Amino acid sequence: TIAAATGLVVHSANVMAALCRFLRDRETLLVLGNCEHMVEAMGPCVAQLLEETPGVRVVTTSRAPLRLTSELVHRLPGLATPPVSTDLTARDALTFPAIELFVERATDRLESFSLSDADAPAVADICRNLDGIALAIELAAMRIDVFGVRGLQKQLDDRFRALGERRAGLERHRTLAATLDWSYGLLPAREAALLRVVSVFAGVFSLDDAA
């Protein structure tokens, strides 16, 4: 995959050796996204690239570090959410990125949606429950037309109650997994079946491919 992204056509069985030769005299930035499921395989590949190609730099996005000697880990926190407060107003809530994202996506789904002072504490609670994770907030907000703010808050409270304190720190990916599971569980049976079928595609696909 890395070789293909760089434009290298490999005719050798030793892909890594060919890739290192190709990049050895080049100034190159490689961006490897969402590679936590390939950490064990990716680590040695990146280590070899960095050792044999002095002009190459690598940026990875992952829930787990590659554990290389020269690796610098920068942990990204979730979007900021308001502290717990029953006096939170809509105006104050919208100064926080998590609330702003929720309202944007909820409005995309339901044009009549407007954050009220009465609902601001509940929306803040939803975003805190989701640890400020952007994708989780978007998934939840897109159900605003089905449940409304209070119903959505209860749905997520029920879903996450079992996670308890395990959701903190490095375990925050549990929140996203639970949100995906909850969102999938709300699909009608035929839509769930369709999603399972097209899940084999890693990117864009055509109607003919899906058929």
Side-chain angles (χ1 to χ4, degrees):
T1 300
I2 297 174
T6 61
L8 173 65
V9 178
V10 181
H11 301 289
S12 168
N14 192 337
V15 178
M16 280 304 302
L19 182 60
C20 288
R21 285 195 300 271
F22 180 72
L23 295 176
R24 186 163 292 137
D25 298 321
R26 298 170 184 259
E27 297 285 335
T28 306
L29 174 65
L30 294 176
V31 180
L32 310 175
N34 301 319
C35 58
E36 59 269 1
H37 62 297
M38 299 180 63
V39 165
E40 295 301 321
M42 193 69 71
C45 290
V46 172
Q48 184 176 347
L49 278 171
L50 295 178
E51 181 178 350
E52 299 184 22
T53 57
V56 171
R57 296 293 180 269
V58 180
V59 174
T60 66
T61 63
S62 173
R63 296 192 191 105
L66 298 182
R67 302 188 183 282
L68 304 180
T69 303
S70 58
E71 184 176 24
L72 298 176
V73 178
H74 178 68
R75 301 191 184 281
L76 294 177
L79 299 176
T81 59
V84 177
S85 171
T86 56
D87 299 326
L88 183 68
T89 66
R91 182 176 180 178
D92 290 339
L94 284 169
T95 63
F96 291 86
I99 308 298
E100 185 179 11
L101 176 62
F102 181 96
V103 171
E104 285 179 0
R105 294 300 176 264
T107 306
D108 288 343
R109 186 69 170 185
L110 187 65
E111 288 186 10
S112 61
F113 178 79
S114 178
L115 183 64
S116 66
D117 289 344
D119 285 338
V123 171
D125 182 64
I126 289 169
C127 293
R128 279 192 300 270
N129 254 344
L130 298 175
D131 291 327
I133 301 173
L135 178 57
I137 291 171
E138 291 181 323
L139 289 171
M142 292 299 285
R143 293 293 182 174
I144 195 70
D145 58 331
V146 178
F147 299 110
V149 170
R150 302 293 173 172
L152 188 58
Q153 182 185 27
K154 185 179 187 307
Q155 283 273 326
L156 293 174
D157 281 347
D158 291 344
R159 170 62 65 177
F160 295 124
R161 187 173 293 118
L163 293 179
E165 295 180 358
R166 292 180 301 165
R167 289 171 44 247
L170 295 178
E171 299 298 323
R172 284 178 49 218
H173 64 276
R174 293 174 180 268
T175 299
L176 183 54
T179 309
L180 289 167
D181 181 60
W182 166 78
S183 185
Y184 172 79
L186 295 173
L187 292 173
R190 291 180 66 185
E191 292 183 14
L194 176 61
L195 183 60
R196 290 196 301 272
V197 170
V198 299
S199 67
V200 299
F201 297 107
V204 176
F205 58 91
S206 69
L207 180 60
D208 287 342
D209 290 335

